[in-house]
Amino acid sequence: MREGDYIDLYELQTRLKTGIEGIFPDRIWLKAEISALKVRPAGHCYMELSQSSETGLVAKAQAVIWSSKFRFLAPFFKSVAGSDLSEGMKVLVRVAVNFSQLYGLSLVIDDIDPNFTLGEREQLRRQTVMRLEEEGLMDRQKELALPVLPYRLAVISAPDAAGYRDFTKHLLENEYGFVFRPELFPAAMQGSSAPASIIGALQSVLDSGEPYDLVLIMRGGGARLDLACYDDYDLAAAIAMFPIPVCTAVGHDQDYHVCDMVAYRHLKTPTAMADEILACYEDEDARLLSFGSRLKLAFLNKIGAMEAGLQLLENRIRTSDPRNILQRGYVLALDASGVPFKRVSGRVPGDRISMMFADGTLDCEVLAVRPGSGGGD
């Protein structure tokens, strides 16, 4: 083969460089997903950008943000998006297409639009909500019954999370002395690994065989993109279909995620969740105290009625006491056996009788019987 019938590698790469950079002479905005990210000690940020379809990975390219740009772009992105650049993010970046004879194609990033990343998350969140609504899962947890006094608590959280420590301290050191039994099921609570980790913890709750009254998923506040995992469909569906009531307390007051929507109850913070559980016991305690007060009042009323009845009976007994009758000048006649009698009939001369007066008794003997004209008592 003659020399003019072939080219060497360098010439090929040079032609490719001329052609590729000629197609994109200016910087362009590029939409892609960060599939890998590494910040070198010198401050340069190296990325692998990719694109996937339903069939899998369809495109991949290497990209770099030189340190002179990265030290400004990184804090700017975080200030707007609320999170650092990380793997799994969809980003809109401005790139210069660069082709090196030695290293091949690379994309040099000099700008990032953080609002695009937030918008992508919001669109995915809306799609997730629509899917859950179509599958009838949004209100499934609300149909479950929560015990009046939840005692056995399965807590899903990171063991070293400040929110978890605040929750246990607030709950277990309550001023009323109420006793609870929380059990921790550790899980990753942020980032791309969180949904699968939390789903695994939910399965561990079921596998434990314990009759838990309530499952609590909690973590403290965080950046918006750090908490985007709580908009994940698989995690939300797992919560919605869980057979035990699930309460969530994730993020700050302004945060509200798809997992919060499908849960039995959503609280703003782990401390607020502890207050909610304590309120169940406080309400029941107040109800029992009120019931005890009503029972005591009814008992006192009953005793008062009984005392009034006894007083009435005592008055009647006092009124009918023979001694009181004798005080009014009457005399009580008794036969020899001490039995009172009211008529002279049946008495004969020689009978021994007693005549009882208010101031004493006379023992007498019947000398004669003179029936009268009256026959009354």
Side-chain angles (χ1 to χ4, degrees), residues 142 217 230 239 248-250 255-267:
K142 278 75 172 178
I217 298 176
Y230 295 99
I239 292 173
T248 58
V250 177
D255 296 318
Y256 190 54
H257 307 280
V258 178
C259 289
D260 300 327
M261 299 178 190
V262 301
Y264 179 86
R265 186 74 185 275
H266 158 63
L267 283 308

Side-chain angles (χ1 to χ4, degrees), residues 110-277:
D110 69 352
D111 201 359
I112 303 176
D113 183 358
N115 291 306
F116 171 84
T117 303
L118 290 175
E120 283 286 306
R121 293 289 185 181
E122 182 58 29
Q123 182 179 359
L124 180 61
R125 169 192 170 103
R126 291 176 182 176
Q127 292 172 351
T128 299
V129 171
M130 290 178 59
R131 181 178 175 184
L132 291 167
E133 288 175 343
E134 291 171 357
E135 295 171 352
L137 297 179
M138 289 299 291
D139 297 320
R140 188 163 176 171
Q141 269 275 312
K142 278 75 172 178
E143 298 171 359
L144 299 178
L146 180 68
V148 176
L149 298 177
Y151 166 67
R152 298 179 182 88
L153 310 175
V155 181
I156 297 177
S157 180
D160 57 348
Y164 169 65
R165 292 196 301 269
D166 292 343
F167 167 81
T168 53
K169 179 179 178 62
H170 198 68
L171 184 72
L172 300 181
E173 298 179 10
N174 67 87
E175 60 181 318
Y176 307 99
F178 297 141
V179 177
F180 300 92
R181 184 181 155 189
E183 184 73 24
L184 176 64
F185 290 81
M189 301 305 290
Q190 71 178 48
S192 59
S193 64
S197 182
I198 296 173
I199 291 171
L202 286 170
Q203 186 59 48
S204 297
V205 173
L206 291 181
D207 294 342
S208 70
E210 288 288 327
Y212 288 105
D213 300 319
L214 188 62
V215 177
L216 311 174
I217 298 176
M218 67 180 68
R219 63 150 289 158
R224 291 177 63 185
L225 291 178
D226 286 343
L227 303 178
C229 55
Y230 295 99
D231 292 325
D232 180 79
Y233 167 80
D234 291 332
L235 177 56
I239 292 173
M241 294 186 289
F242 205 69
I244 303 171
V246 177
C247 289
T248 58
V250 177
H252 300 295
D253 288 350
Q254 70 273 18
D255 296 318
Y256 190 54
H257 307 280
V258 178
C259 289
D260 300 327
M261 299 178 190
V262 301
Y264 179 86
R265 186 74 185 275
H266 158 63
L267 283 308
K268 294 295 185 181
T269 63
T271 301
M273 181 178 286
D275 284 333
E276 187 73 9
I277 296 172

Side-chain angles (χ1 to χ4, degrees), residues 26 129 157 176 214 218 235 287 294 316 351 362 364:
D26 300 317
V129 171
S157 180
Y176 307 99
L214 188 62
M218 67 180 68
L235 177 56
R287 190 185 72 83
R294 294 197 304 270
R316 292 177 60 185
D351 284 349
L362 296 176
C364 308

Side-chain angles (χ1 to χ4, degrees), residues 60-131:
K60 183 170 65 174
Q62 302 301 316
V64 62
I65 309 176
W66 302 122
S67 60
S68 59
K69 288 287 186 180
F70 186 68
R71 66 172 177 262
F72 298 109
L73 288 181
F76 166 69
F77 182 88
K78 185 173 183 178
S79 68
V80 177
S83 177
D84 293 320
L85 289 163
S86 62
E87 297 176 3
M89 282 185 181
K90 285 185 171 61
V91 293
L92 187 64
V93 293
R94 190 173 69 177
V95 303
V97 180
N98 182 38
F99 193 92
S100 165
Q101 292 89 337
L102 187 59
Y103 300 107
L105 178 69
S106 65
L107 305 173
V108 179
I109 299 172
D110 69 352
D111 201 359
I112 303 176
D113 183 358
N115 291 306
F116 171 84
T117 303
L118 290 175
E120 283 286 306
R121 293 289 185 181
E122 182 58 29
Q123 182 179 359
L124 180 61
R125 169 192 170 103
R126 291 176 182 176
Q127 292 172 351
T128 299
V129 171
M130 290 178 59
R131 181 178 175 184

